[in-house]
Amino acid sequence: MDKRYIPPKWKTLLALFLAFMALKFNWFFIWGVFCWFWGWENLRSKEAFFVERVELSKNPILFTVIIMSWFLMGALYFYMDHSIYNFFYSL
């Protein structure tokens, strides 16, 4: 059986590659995807890490503000990316 080698942290390596590509080509939508991913993961784990760890059970208001900030920043990055705007405008 032919087994392919899959690096143990392939998602992290892919995210680093995408971050470098986003910096090189000025792709804001990649940062938007990252922000939405962080917001979703924080919701799933009920724990956010912004400057320090914030748990939903101990600081619900601050946790909610952080989550809303991730999603709003993600939306802002999507809005700022002209290639996304041009793609949808051309449809």
Side-chain angles (χ1 to χ4, degrees):
M1 183 185 261
D2 183 28
K3 287 193 170 187
R4 294 182 182 178
Y5 174 72
I6 300 174
K9 296 291 184 182
W10 68 271
K11 291 182 251 182
T12 302
L13 294 172
L14 178 63
L16 279 173
F17 175 74
L18 288 174
F20 287 130
M21 295 300 286
L23 286 172
K24 180 172 176 54
F25 294 109
N26 225 10
W27 292 337
F28 287 111
F29 73 93
I30 297 291
W31 300 112
V33 170
F34 284 157
C35 286
W36 278 63
F37 174 76
W38 292 325
W40 179 256
E41 284 298 309
N42 290 169
L43 274 175
R44 190 182 62 77
S45 68
K46 295 180 176 66
E47 180 178 88
F49 188 87
F50 195 68
V51 175
E52 59 188 353
R53 180 170 290 143
V54 177
E55 296 177 22
L56 175 61
S57 60
K58 294 179 182 173
N59 300 93
I61 295 173
L62 184 58
F63 178 83
T64 304
V65 169
I66 291 171
I67 296 299
M68 288 175 26
S69 297
W70 283 128
F71 287 124
L72 288 173
M73 282 188 284
L76 180 64
Y77 280 126
F78 280 114
Y79 177 75
M80 289 171 39
D81 196 326
H82 295 293
S83 61
I84 295 293
Y85 173 79
N86 291 335
F87 171 76
F88 285 113
Y89 187 73
S90 67
L91 292 179

